[in-house]
Amino acid sequence: MVVGVFLDISGAFDNLRWNILIRDMMTLGASDATRSIIQSYLTGRRAVLSVEGATAFADLTRGCPQGSQLGPSLWNLSMDRALVTNNDDRVKLVAYADDLAVLIAGSDILDIQGRALRDWAELRGLTFSASKSQAIPLKGGLRSGFTVSFGAQDIVAVDSVRYLGVELDSKRNFWAHVSIESESLYSRLRAASSADWGLRQSTSAVIYRAVFLPHITYAAETWAKGVLTKKAIRLLGSKQRRALRSLTGAYSTTSTDALQVVAGQLPLDLEIRWHVVRTRRKAGQISEEVMSDQWDRLLDIWQDRWDSSVKSRWTYGIFSDIRRRLVLPLEVDHYVCQFLTGHGDFNSKLESFNLRGEAMCRWETEDESVDHVLYRCPLLSAERDRVIRQIGEDVWPCETKVFMDTRSNYCALRRFAREAIEAKRSSDRLGLVPG
């Protein structure tokens, strides 16, 4: 059986004994001059505390000077002794600063102990915190709840632990990491934006690429296999929704499938996989050709999902080809997004969500859908004429995908969208009826 033990060293940087540190330097072969410089650097240090005119002093005899460039190196000198003095083939140690992970193999639970590490810590004046240290079973059929003896301390085994920012679980499928719930940056951004004020969608896009994605994809090379299940894909899509709504200004009823396409952003599970591919290419592990093939593969997966989706078929009529959407430099806002998704200030859509009393257009010609507003609503004849002049009377009424053919066509749609929504809202406020 194999157990992972993740140790928390109590006050690690504050309690390291200097005399043992100098001895560690000698063991590593540091010269007399180097040891003398470090000894001088540490000698005569004093902690000072002043409160309401009273000052207290304490001479220091231990600890790595916090905030100094040398402090982390001094800690690493002592941590090195824990790593190199481990002669047990059944024990694997991994350390990053004072975060220590120990993988221990044993024939039974009583055989899994940490005597060598305990001796290393005690010699240097360090102790492990049993309440903050954790263990997880990794192999051998053990279940959480048992304890691992670390000298006089018993460490309780749990289902998952967080190590260096990654949630590790006993099944090693990384579902625990994928399913971590954290407050989304975009829940706050949504509160700071609206149709006519606050953060622009373009600003949210910068934050999405520079903050949101790096946070989500952190260490994905380790846990990316956890995004391959349908359950994980759905969960990641749910996490991505708030961010995509901030990027697009879309209504909350818009499907995630449509949000991803309108925003021109990879589904989050594919974004994580693409991050891993780019990381491997940067490390020289794969060629440029392989990276290009992987990109095509991810786009094919996205295209298959979009083709087979039963949601957002209005948006599909505009952007049926994922690759074509990604090369279109579209600026999306709250107004045009309603016409790209079909979810917006349209009576028939609002009525379907019990947000409006009736679906009929105020002119009572037909149900007020996005199609009706764009092509036939009498209220918007003047605004529509300007669009027709841009698109061309010979092709009107055009297919919705025509609005993506040229930049001027798309700008005409954006202008119409804003004018149409504002005219509708003004009409609703004034209670205008056909005359």
Side-chain angles (χ1 to χ4, degrees):
M1 61 184 64
V2 178
V3 171
V5 182
F6 301 85
L7 298 169
D8 181 273
I9 303 174
S10 301
F13 287 88
D14 295 329
N15 291 303
L16 182 63
R17 290 173 179 163
W18 290 345
N19 60 324
I20 303 300
L21 172 62
I22 299 300
R23 195 179 80 176
D24 287 340
M25 294 180 64
M26 184 182 302
T27 304
L28 288 170
S31 66
D32 292 342
T34 300
R35 296 200 307 275
S36 296
I37 291 173
I38 298 301
Q39 185 74 63
S40 175
Y41 175 75
L42 297 174
T43 299
R45 289 188 171 271
R46 170 176 287 188
V48 181
L49 176 64
S50 297
V51 178
E52 296 182 354
T55 302
F57 302 91
D59 293 325
L60 302 180
T61 60
R62 61 175 64 196
C64 301
Q66 297 286 331
S68 68
Q69 292 184 341
L70 187 58
S73 296
L74 296 179
W75 171 260
N76 288 342
L77 285 172
S78 275
M79 180 58 75
D80 178 76
R81 304 317 304 157
L83 301 178
V84 302
T85 57
N86 172 43
N87 298 316
D88 193 336
D89 292 338
R90 303 172 304 167
V91 179
K92 171 70 174 179
L93 277 71
V94 179
Y96 184 87
D98 60 339
D99 290 317
L100 186 59
V102 188
L103 303 181
I104 311 173
S107 57
D108 57 58
I109 198 64
L110 297 177
D111 193 35
I112 298 177
Q113 299 182 32
R115 289 185 293 270
L117 276 175
R118 187 186 72 247
D119 294 342
W120 166 84
E122 289 179 351
L123 181 63
R124 288 157 180 78
L126 306 173
T127 58
F128 297 115
S129 170
S131 61
K132 295 182 179 180
S133 298
Q134 293 179 306
I136 59 171
L138 295 174
K139 187 177 180 180
L142 290 173
R143 295 181 179 274
S144 60
F146 64 87
T147 58
V148 176
S149 174
F150 240 72
Q153 300 170 324
D154 288 333
I155 299 174
V156 179
V158 294
D159 289 325
S160 65
V161 300
R162 192 168 184 81
Y163 183 66
L164 300 181
V166 177
E167 197 77 13
L168 305 174
D169 58 88
S170 57
K171 295 181 179 179
R172 303 186 303 282
N173 59 16
F174 294 102
W175 170 249
H177 184 82
V178 173
S179 60
I180 289 174
E181 291 294 339
S182 59
E183 183 181 5
S184 170
L185 166 70
Y186 284 89
S187 64
R188 298 187 292 274
L189 287 183
R190 288 293 299 171
S193 62
S194 186
D196 302 303
W197 57 268
L199 291 175
R200 294 179 51 145
Q201 274 70 48
S202 57
T203 303
S204 293
V206 172
I207 297 173
Y208 180 83
R209 303 300 306 181
V211 179
F212 178 77
L213 286 184
H215 174 75
I216 290 291
T217 59
Y218 169 76
E221 308 89 276
T222 300
W223 56 267
K225 68 178 184 179
V227 308
L228 300 179
T229 65
K230 291 182 179 180
K231 181 171 67 170
I233 293 169
R234 286 194 299 270
L235 178 60
L236 290 169
S238 176
K239 291 186 177 187
Q240 193 181 20
R241 279 187 61 81
R242 284 179 179 171
L244 295 180
R245 286 190 59 211
S246 184
L247 265 66
T248 61
Y251 273 56
S252 61
T253 56
T254 308
S255 74
T256 302
D257 292 348
L259 287 172
Q260 292 162 343
V261 174
V262 171
Q265 301 294 338
L266 281 169
L268 196 50
D269 65 296
L270 300 184
E271 188 73 66
I272 291 167
R273 292 168 64 177
W274 177 235
H275 169 82
V276 174
V277 172
R278 288 188 288 116
T279 301
R280 293 180 62 196
R281 174 67 188 114
K282 187 176 181 180
Q285 298 173 352
I286 60 174
S287 66
E288 193 74 28
E289 182 180 5
V290 170
M291 184 172 118
S292 179
D293 289 343
Q294 289 295 315
W295 173 247
D296 283 337
R297 172 59 180 154
L298 293 176
L299 292 186
D300 287 342
I301 294 173
W302 189 8
Q303 185 68 62
D304 288 343
R305 292 180 189 174
W306 187 227
D307 290 341
S308 60
S309 175
V310 297
K311 299 179 179 179
S312 307
R313 295 301 84 183
W314 173 266
T315 305
Y316 185 84
I318 303 172
F319 305 111
S320 60
D321 189 326
I322 291 295
R323 285 175 170 81
R324 183 167 183 263
R325 166 62 190 98
L326 292 182
V327 299
L328 294 175
L330 303 182
E331 185 174 351
V332 180
D333 58 40
H334 171 70
Y335 297 99
V336 74
C337 189
Q338 297 181 55
F339 285 82
L340 297 178
T341 64
H343 287 247
D345 191 13
F346 312 119
N347 287 347
S348 64
K349 181 60 66 175
L350 296 173
E351 189 270 340
S352 70
F353 291 108
N354 296 319
L355 299 174
R356 186 66 58 87
E358 59 180 27
M360 186 69 68
C361 170
R362 182 181 291 275
W363 264 244
E364 296 185 352
T365 56
E366 61 180 335
D367 285 354
E368 186 188 81
S369 63
V370 60
D371 179 77
H372 166 79
V373 172
L374 180 59
Y375 291 113
R376 297 178 297 279
C377 182
L379 173 68
L380 304 167
S381 297
E383 292 84 357
R384 188 176 301 106
D385 286 343
R386 287 192 286 272
V387 177
I388 294 174
R389 286 195 294 272
Q390 173 60 52
I391 301 296
E393 294 185 9
D394 56 326
V395 298
W396 189 266
C398 64
E399 295 182 357
T400 51
K401 63 182 180 181
V402 170
F403 291 109
M404 303 301 129
D405 283 348
T406 66
R407 180 176 179 81
S408 58
N409 284 6
Y410 180 66
C411 288
L413 177 65
R414 284 191 68 193
R415 183 174 60 249
F416 175 83
R418 177 177 284 272
E419 292 173 348
I421 297 300
E422 290 180 345
K424 270 178 42 59
R425 290 175 180 172
S426 177
S427 175
D428 288 343
R429 285 194 300 268
L430 297 176
L432 297 180
V433 295

